[in-house]
Amino acid sequence: MEKVLLSGLTLEELQDVAAQLDLPKFAGRQMAQWLYGKQIFDISEMTNLSKAARDKFEARFEIGRRKPIEQMTSKDGTIKYLFPTAQGKLVETVYIPTEDRATLCVSSQVGCKMGCRFCMTGRQGFEAQLTTGDILNQIYALPEWNKLTNIVFMGQGEPLDNIDAVIKACHLLMAPYGMAWSPKRITVSTVGDTRGLKRFLEEVDCNLAISLHFALPEERIEWMPAEKAWPITETIQQLRQYDFCRNLERGELRQGSHQRRLSFEYIVFAGLNDSRRHCDAILRLLDGLDCRVNLIPFHSIPDSHFKPATIDHMKTMRDYLTQHGVYTTIRASRGQDIMAACGLLTTAKKERKREEK
């Protein structure tokens, strides 16, 4: 009989497991504290559970943690890990340390359905949804897991296309019996999937990042097919119903507690989305929203005609947008030499090699 994986279960679910095994309810809480407060790989490591209790758990359950099977270290200190999933697939995760932060870029899917023309993950196509346990495995099986200060769902996949698993993972990261993280330490990225956006905004208080890249719909749809399903103007309209919108006359929040941060990611392509006309389109689109724009250097991918804008030109764009009311930054490129930077993650070749064996 195949064993059930414990990682990804909530406290209530673990208490139900304990009840199924005729164990006291507090055994479920002990399990939760071990699963989400510590790094363990085997039930035998839960030393405050009795030997009899551990034996009962081991007969029918297992932790469900899998260590990375490959890692690559960039010259800038970024580390890319390759994790196996519960379904036997592979997924990439990127650890980004700086002087005062340690950010983990986690994946939510194997491949991606969105098909953005400038993204390696989009080229891979969709292969599988990650379970909550698969998502958490990228965190809890990470060698540097206890150094983490922030988590961003900006790896492989569209997080809101796997909304159930992503929301559950966020709740478990914030749970008092686990890492007890503030939602401000977690950011979820989306191309603007309005199906999952409402649930995300109402069920968790984590930060939100919108993959914008093109502010003119007629251009966005050419390079980002998701624009056809979820027009960026409709996504923006949905955001205006929440706590991101300022009263333009008084500069005050219209509603909500405004505890989460809203940002827009914008990869800058030379001659494609980097003109004054494009900057003005960004300003019109985001008018009245309390947000920031992150300009991102384009990282070249094979057989692509896209070209990166110069850093000087990106600075000109940053200054123009900021001077006109939209606070804008330029994101530093990390891990490009190991194919770990924005838009470069893919496990397509590794998946094919596995299938050939």
Side-chain angles (χ1 to χ4, degrees):
M1 183 177 67
E2 187 175 351
K3 292 184 178 181
V4 176
L5 306 184
L6 293 171
S7 183
L9 300 184
T10 64
L11 172 60
E12 292 75 18
E13 289 169 333
L14 290 168
Q15 289 172 334
D16 288 342
V17 167
Q20 292 172 31
L21 300 177
D22 296 322
L23 294 171
K25 193 174 182 179
F26 68 78
R29 180 168 290 278
Q30 288 174 309
M31 293 284 290
Q33 291 168 339
W34 280 104
L35 283 171
Y36 307 122
K38 303 177 187 293
Q39 186 183 58
I40 62 168
F41 293 88
D42 194 86
I43 290 173
S44 63
E45 297 177 66
M46 301 182 179
T47 52
N48 63 343
L49 284 171
S50 69
K51 177 66 164 58
R54 294 200 302 269
D55 288 344
K56 285 187 175 183
F57 276 118
E58 287 179 333
R60 294 172 52 184
F61 300 90
E62 61 180 86
I63 297 297
R65 296 266 162 84
R66 296 161 299 281
K67 294 182 179 181
I69 59 175
E70 182 179 303
Q71 74 177 69
M72 299 177 68
T73 303
S74 167
K75 59 186 178 183
D76 63 25
T78 299
I79 305 175
K80 182 171 70 171
Y81 289 101
L82 183 69
F83 284 100
T85 73
Q87 306 96 326
K89 294 288 187 177
L90 297 170
V91 70
E92 291 186 325
T93 308
V94 182
Y95 173 69
I96 310 167
T98 62
E99 288 185 5
D100 57 348
R101 293 162 69 98
T103 300
L104 188 68
C105 182
V106 303
S107 296
S108 55
Q109 297 177 318
V110 180
C112 184
K113 300 176 185 177
M114 301 301 110
C116 296
R117 310 297 188 214
F118 45 84
C119 177
M120 289 294 290
T121 313
R123 285 188 176 188
Q124 179 175 348
F126 176 75
E127 295 196 22
Q129 298 283 22
L130 296 189
T131 65
T132 300
D134 288 326
I135 293 171
L136 294 176
N137 187 68
Q138 299 169 69
I139 300 161
Y140 286 101
L142 188 83
E144 302 85 1
W145 79 281
N146 60 351
K147 297 179 181 178
L148 294 176
T149 61
N150 298 84
I151 288 173
V152 295
F153 284 79
M154 296 182 181
Q156 292 177 263
E158 162 57 48
L160 299 192
D161 188 49
N162 191 12
I163 187 68
D164 291 333
V166 168
I167 285 181
K168 192 174 184 181
C170 290
H171 281 306
L172 287 168
L173 288 169
M174 298 183 290
Y177 52 80
M179 295 178 79
W181 271 24
S182 161
K184 295 180 181 180
R185 298 172 67 175
I186 303 169
T187 299
V188 174
S189 175
T190 177
V191 295
D193 183 341
T194 52
R195 300 171 307 172
L197 185 56
K198 186 174 189 294
R199 277 193 59 195
F200 173 79
L201 290 171
E202 294 184 353
E203 294 182 29
V204 291
D205 291 325
C206 300
N207 297 327
L208 178 66
I210 305 293
S211 296
L212 176 58
H213 311 312
F214 296 88
L216 295 167
E218 64 273 19
E219 294 182 358
R220 194 171 191 260
I221 198 169
E222 182 175 358
W223 309 112
M224 299 177 68
E227 170 69 16
K228 184 175 182 179
W230 309 298
I232 190 62
T233 52
E234 293 183 11
T235 302
I236 297 297
Q237 187 57 38
Q238 189 171 2
L239 293 172
R240 293 185 188 281
Q241 309 307 311
Y242 292 87
D243 57 353
F244 307 116
C245 197
R246 288 191 179 277
N247 181 306
L248 296 182
E249 294 181 0
R250 299 192 303 168
E252 297 175 352
L253 294 176
R254 180 186 298 169
Q255 63 178 32
S257 58
H258 194 65
Q259 293 183 357
R260 77 174 98 225
R261 184 176 68 241
L262 172 64
S263 59
F264 288 84
E265 311 296 295
Y266 195 93
I267 297 175
V268 186
F269 305 97
L272 194 62
N273 66 348
D274 62 342
S275 70
R276 179 63 55 86
R277 177 174 67 93
H278 292 106
C279 288
D280 289 337
I282 294 173
L283 293 172
R284 287 194 302 272
L285 183 68
L286 306 185
D287 186 33
L289 282 179
D290 187 22
C291 63
R292 70 170 61 190
V293 169
N294 294 319
L295 300 180
I296 304 172
F298 171 64
H299 305 109
S300 297
I301 61 178
D303 304 318
S304 168
H305 68 276
F306 299 105
K307 297 186 182 304
T310 66
I311 188 64
D312 286 341
H313 189 65
M314 292 178 68
K315 288 179 180 178
T316 299
M317 292 179 66
R318 176 198 63 191
D319 295 345
Y320 182 81
L321 291 171
T322 298
Q323 289 165 7
H324 287 79
V326 175
Y327 178 64
T328 303
T329 63
I330 298 175
R331 182 187 294 171
S333 179
R334 297 290 302 272
Q336 187 172 1
D337 57 321
I338 58 169
M339 296 291 283
C342 182
L344 299 183
L345 298 185
T346 179
T347 54
K349 288 184 179 180
K350 294 182 173 67
E351 296 285 356
R352 285 197 296 270
K353 287 181 179 178
R354 272 198 164 192
E355 293 172 0
E356 291 169 0
K357 289 182 179 180

